[in-house]
């Protein structure tokens, strides 16, 4: 009897332990009671400002991606460091934009519901809303993320896929986050909007193997145009170039068409054609409708938004997104 009682007690505490994490998961309308208008506040702010800066849609979705790939979706990409060692100081994040936009939303939320809505959730909601308001896909954003307080430049450098990635590196870095090759292809589709600096790809034009050569995987005519009209030198780090020329303001399938024509801007874009699974996914997407792509893209975004999230008693809710201990 004592043995059975001990087993029952052990089972009870095991089940109690299991309930905690389940209750602490992300959920739709997490702030329904604590800050009922939270999601509408974010949505209205984005709606009121996105027309003046439509390029923010691409900037915010990139910020969300970079945040989730380092310590999970915990808002750590927003933290400032006086020593210059935070994530936003790392090379991949030097061209990330939208920090002030997120701070502005946070200010409005803090005035309504002090200390309730996390910076991580603001990024997730604002990036979705910005894409929707510019005609892109919609996706569900369950909330309840909590913020981290640790932000290291070295971790950003190690975990964010650089534009020079080959397929092996991409597959590894995505797999590290629980994302597969299908997710890689779908999330790369966000390159259909936005711009890049020349510095992210000029090695393909001028010094691909360190011998002053050009990447043979890049279409020759496209490379010549980039050299003559966009990026005249290897050292140009200011000029910006459309990632999806002629269609950068429209969330559509043209990015994938360009990739197959060897006109993807980054080496990482070109890499998608070097693996049978990723290439097959591109061809499958192109034979389908834009609506089908939107639906699949949405699922991968929802999956990415759940990467290593802090919920329940883990993490904090930072009062100022740029300050670790706020």
């Amino acid at each position: 009897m004592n043995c059975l009682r001990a087993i029952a007690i052990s089972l009870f505490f095991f089940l109690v332990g299991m309930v905690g994490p389940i209750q602490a998961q992300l959920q739709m309308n997490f702030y329904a009671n604590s800050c009922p208008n939270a999601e509408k506040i974010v949505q209205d702010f984005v709606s009121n400002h996105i027309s003046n800066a439509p390029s923010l849609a691409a900037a915010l979705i990139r910020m969300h991606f970079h945040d989730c790939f380092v310590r999970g979706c915990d808002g750590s990409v927003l933290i400032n460091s006086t020593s210059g060692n935070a994530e936003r100081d790392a090379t991949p994040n030097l061209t990330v934009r939208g920090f002030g936009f997120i701070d502005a939303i946070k200010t409005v939320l803090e005035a309504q519901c002090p200390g309730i809505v996390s910076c991580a959730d603001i990024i997730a909601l604002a990036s979705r809303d910005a894409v929707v308001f510019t005609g892109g896909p919609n996706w569900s954003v369950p909330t309840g993320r909590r913020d981290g307080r640790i932000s290291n430049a070295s971790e950003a450098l190690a975990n964010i896929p650089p534009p020079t990635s080959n397929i092996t590196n991409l597959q590894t870095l995505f797999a590290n986050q629980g994302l597969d090759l299908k997710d890689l292809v779908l999330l790369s589709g966000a390159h259909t909007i936005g711009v890049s600096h020349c510095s992210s790809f000029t090695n393909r034009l001028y010094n691909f193997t360190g011998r002053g050569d050009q990447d043979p995987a890049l279409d020759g005519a496209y490379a010549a145009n980039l050299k003559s009209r966009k990026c005249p030198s290897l050292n140009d780090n200011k000029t910006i170039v459309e990632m999806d020329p002629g269609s950068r303001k429209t969330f559509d399938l043209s990015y994938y068409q360009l990739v197959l024509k060897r006109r993807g801007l980054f080496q990482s874009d070109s890499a998608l054609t070097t693996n049978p699974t990723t290439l097959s996914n591109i061809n499958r997407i192109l034979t389908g409708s834009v609506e089908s792509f939107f639906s699949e893209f949405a699922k991968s975004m929802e999956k990415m938004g759940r990467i290593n999230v802090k919920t329940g008693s883990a993490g904090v809710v930072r009062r100022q997104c740029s300050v670790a201990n706020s």
Side-chain angles (χ1 to χ4, degrees):
M1 289 294 292
N2 288 337
C3 181
L4 289 174
R5 184 180 180 188
I7 292 173
I9 292 173
S10 297
L11 180 60
F12 171 78
F13 281 109
F14 171 76
L15 292 174
V16 169
M18 288 296 289
V19 169
I22 292 172
Q23 290 178 333
Q25 293 304 303
L26 301 181
Q27 61 188 67
M28 297 302 294
N29 302 312
F30 175 82
Y31 299 107
N33 295 320
S34 58
C35 187
N37 292 322
E39 295 191 23
K40 188 176 188 306
I41 288 171
V42 176
Q43 187 179 64
D44 287 349
F45 192 94
V46 173
S47 175
N48 291 336
H49 294 85
I50 198 69
S51 59
N52 297 325
S55 63
L56 264 176
L60 291 176
I61 203 169
R62 183 179 181 221
M63 176 188 285
H64 188 27
F65 177 87
H66 284 209
D67 183 43
C68 292
F69 266 61
V70 185
R71 292 185 170 268
C73 312
D74 68 348
S76 55
V77 71
L78 303 170
I79 294 174
N80 262 327
S81 167
T82 54
S83 60
N85 291 320
E87 289 174 34
R88 63 194 288 177
D89 300 305
T91 300
N93 289 326
L94 293 179
T95 53
V96 169
R97 297 185 301 114
F99 295 107
F101 194 78
I102 298 298
D103 286 341
I105 296 175
K106 178 66 169 174
T107 298
V108 177
L109 284 166
E110 283 297 309
Q112 293 287 322
C113 312
I116 299 297
V117 183
S118 69
C119 301
D121 274 343
I122 295 173
I123 296 176
L125 290 166
S127 59
R128 187 272 311 273
D129 292 343
V131 170
V132 170
F133 282 126
T134 51
N138 195 354
W139 62 90
S140 298
V141 179
T143 44
R145 297 167 188 79
R146 286 169 66 86
D147 299 322
R149 282 180 165 167
I150 299 173
S151 184
N152 295 321
S154 59
E155 292 181 350
L157 195 60
N159 289 288
I160 297 172
T164 54
S165 294
N166 59 28
I167 192 63
T168 301
N169 193 39
L170 289 170
Q171 185 171 7
T172 298
L173 292 175
F174 271 67
N176 288 345
Q177 308 301 335
L179 302 173
D180 58 26
L181 289 175
K182 182 179 179 181
D183 297 314
L184 166 60
V185 172
L186 288 165
L187 294 174
S188 294
H191 288 178
T192 188
I193 57 173
V195 296
S196 168
H197 288 79
C198 289
S199 54
S200 294
F201 60 87
T202 46
N203 67 304
R204 300 188 76 194
L205 301 176
Y206 297 104
N207 199 30
F208 186 62
T209 65
R211 300 177 180 176
D213 54 342
Q214 183 174 295
D215 183 356
L218 187 63
D219 176 73
Y222 182 45
N225 181 65
L226 288 171
K227 285 180 177 179
S228 63
R229 299 187 177 186
K230 299 292 184 179
C231 310
S233 76
L234 178 64
N235 301 317
D236 187 333
N237 58 7
K238 294 182 179 180
T239 305
I240 58 174
V241 179
E242 297 176 354
M243 292 189 287
D244 187 358
S247 182
R248 75 176 179 89
K249 295 182 179 180
T250 306
F251 215 105
D252 55 23
L253 301 178
S254 62
Y255 160 76
Y256 296 112
Q257 295 168 345
L258 290 174
V259 167
L260 293 186
K261 293 178 180 178
R262 300 193 301 128
R263 294 192 171 197
L265 197 59
F266 307 131
Q267 191 175 341
S268 58
D269 295 325
S270 176
L272 299 180
T273 66
T274 64
N275 175 282
T277 300
T278 52
L279 181 58
S280 173
N281 271 284
I282 291 175
N283 285 313
R284 179 184 56 77
I285 290 169
L286 286 173
T287 58
S289 64
V290 172
E291 290 75 22
S292 294
F293 166 54
F294 278 18
S295 176
E296 290 193 86
F297 180 85
K299 291 176 182 176
S300 287
M301 283 301 301
E302 291 169 21
K303 187 175 177 181
M304 187 190 81
R306 293 179 178 273
I307 294 175
N308 294 327
V309 292
K310 296 172 177 63
T311 58
S313 59
V316 298
V317 174
R318 300 199 306 270
R319 301 291 289 267
Q320 289 179 264
C321 292
S322 61
V323 181
N325 296 309
S326 61

